[in-house]
Amino acid sequence: MNQRWVATPEAVHLVGSARQAQHVVQAAVDAGKRLSVRSGGHCYGDFVCNPEIDVILDVSLMNEVFYDAERRAFCVEAGAQLGQIYEQLYRGWGVTLPGGACLTVGIGGHASGGGFGMLTRKYGLVADQIEAVEMVVVDASGQARTVVASRDPEDPAHDLCWAVSGGGGGSFGVITRFWFRSPQATGTDPSAQLPAPPPEVLIGLAEVPWSALDDAEFGSLMRNFADWHIANGSVDSRFIDLSGYLVLRQGPQGGVSLFTQVDGGNPNADQLLADYTAALIRDTGIPATIPTRRVSWLASTKLVGTSNQAMFYDHSLRSGTKSAFLRRGFTDEQLAVIHRHMVREDYNNPHAAISLNGGGGQHDAVDPAATPYPHRDTAFFALFESFWTAPGEDATHLGWQREVFRDTFADTGGYPVPNDQTDGCYFNDPDTDIMDPAYNASGVPWHALYFKDNYRRLQEVKSRWDPSDVFRHAQSVRPL
């Protein structure tokens, strides 16, 4: 958990079933207690832990992963974490979910907010794979009950499944389990119900210190990354088997990490990686030869996370995060701002970073209204992160993060509003400043930055399934 956020609840209930979760919810409602839900991973915001919470319902003991033949889908309980899920799905059936790199993320929040990673260009979001969800909800009379909602349009609870397939956690009820099956899956063979990752991947990994990149060369690298993803964003691109990211690490001892992964089964994998690398490093002075190697896909899932020093594995840390979806690359002025903040010496934090994750492909092939997650026309995603240990340093680290983000998006009030260049923010990386006009001077409300035009429908679902607003936090969906 993020150590910036603390709670002193009367009780923490570890539940092992939907029945137990329903009992805890009913008791809290009957007693008028404020309830929050934890799936077992971590949260950048104060959604779970804050001083107003009386009862924390923790589903982390519910972590089973199995194939449900009746639904022709994989059942994943809401307390399972990504690393465990990847291991069990792949070793058991040769399939996976196209989720994120941090292996300690809980699936409850990850899937309900969208969920993307190195396989998203080819297979879409984790939320796109949700076939059904089991939830504890509370009706207008204060009665808790357990429902199963599916993506079948004929299901009377279809709207609830839609809402939690990208509308974020903590707004509608307690998710106790998901069933995952790809929309295009057919037949009854378990190995055909979810994406099959490549047994082997070709990866390229290079570390470039700031001393090797002047301002102009840094600008070339960032423009190359954006331009390549714009040019190769189609599902028909010959590069659909390739995914890459850049991590900009702050401070004089920092630099840029380049990580690229290609399906090793593609007969042109080596050429694809070489072509991508050449396009990426053009006019940067970075050596043309970047170390590559072939590893198993399962090993790569662990490598991609640990190669990012800012990845949130240390739960003793404090943190802040901000995010931006980009349709086009940063302007020259924005690149100069970013470079200045990354190399400045009056602030030096090796655990502060800006990560750029490539988009396009199947991620962009879905209608923006098909799920609440609306950012379906993006070239890449930028995550601004900072981690530290001492409470007394909050102002210093949050100050740097606020400054670089504000200065980058100064022309639109300090936030990446939906327009021709930017497309809002990612709910799964909650930003505590997004609701404060002192920081978000864009005039665009937090819910429009996260959900755009889908927010109204989310409110309608909220009003139907949680009319008394039992399940709420600082950025939960508000009932109508």
Side-chain angles (χ1 to χ4, degrees), residues 345-428:
E345 297 184 3
D346 62 322
Y347 177 78
N348 182 8
N349 181 5
H351 299 298
I354 301 175
S355 301
L356 307 184
N357 300 266
Q362 189 59 37
H363 173 277
D364 287 10
V366 177
D367 188 298
T371 70
Y373 175 99
H375 312 288
R376 300 293 189 165
D377 181 21
T378 55
F380 63 98
F381 169 74
L383 179 62
F384 296 65
E385 298 177 286
S386 186
F387 302 92
W388 63 96
T389 56
E393 297 178 354
D394 285 6
T396 297
H397 296 289
L398 290 173
W400 174 84
Q401 186 180 73
R402 286 165 173 162
E403 287 175 22
V404 63
F405 199 74
R406 176 202 65 202
D407 294 349
T408 299
F409 301 107
D411 288 346
T412 51
Y415 270 77
V417 304
N419 59 27
D420 290 342
Q421 182 201 19
T422 54
D423 197 49
C425 307
Y426 184 33
F427 182 83
N428 272 5

Side-chain angles (χ1 to χ4, degrees), residues 133 135 137 147 149 157-165 172 461 465:
V133 60
M135 295 183 66
V137 297
V147 299
H158 167 72
D159 61 338
L160 183 60
C161 183
W162 176 86
V164 299
S165 298
F172 307 99
V461 178
W465 291 98

Side-chain angles (χ1 to χ4, degrees), residues 322-359:
K322 296 179 182 295
S323 62
F325 288 96
L326 280 296
R327 287 174 165 158
R328 293 188 287 108
F330 292 111
T331 66
D332 291 347
E333 293 78 9
Q334 288 174 320
L335 291 173
V337 164
I338 292 171
H339 187 255
R340 173 169 56 83
H341 281 288
M342 297 310 292
V343 301
R344 55 189 268 197
E345 297 184 3
D346 62 322
Y347 177 78
N348 182 8
N349 181 5
H351 299 298
I354 301 175
S355 301
L356 307 184
N357 300 266

Side-chain angles (χ1 to χ4, degrees), residues 208-223 256 283-286 335-336 338-340 343:
V208 183
W210 290 125
S211 59
L213 288 172
D214 62 22
D215 190 80
E217 291 167 335
F218 170 76
S220 293
L221 177 64
M222 296 283 279
R223 282 188 292 272
V256 183
D283 300 325
T284 66
I286 298 174
L335 291 173
I338 292 171
H339 187 255
R340 173 169 56 83
V343 301

Side-chain angles (χ1 to χ4, degrees), residues 6-10 32-36 46-56 472-474:
V6 295
T8 55
E10 298 173 10
K33 302 296 185 181
R34 180 71 181 272
L35 177 74
S36 69
D46 62 350
F47 299 174
V48 176
C49 293
N50 66 70
E52 298 180 6
I53 297 301
D54 300 310
V55 176
I56 295 177
R472 64 189 188 275
H473 51 70

Side-chain angles (χ1 to χ4, degrees), residues 48-106:
V48 176
C49 293
N50 66 70
E52 298 180 6
I53 297 301
D54 300 310
V55 176
I56 295 177
L57 192 161
D58 189 318
V59 299
S60 59
L61 293 181
M62 299 182 64
N63 58 11
E64 290 190 24
V65 177
F66 60 92
Y67 183 69
D68 184 336
E70 183 176 351
R71 296 202 75 98
R72 294 190 298 113
F74 287 92
C75 183
V76 179
E77 293 187 323
Q81 296 185 0
L82 294 186
Q84 170 206 350
I85 295 168
Y86 296 155
E87 288 264 359
Q88 291 188 236
L89 287 179
Y90 185 68
R91 293 190 187 279
W93 299 274
V95 299
T96 192
L97 293 172
C102 183
L103 304 182
T104 60
V105 165

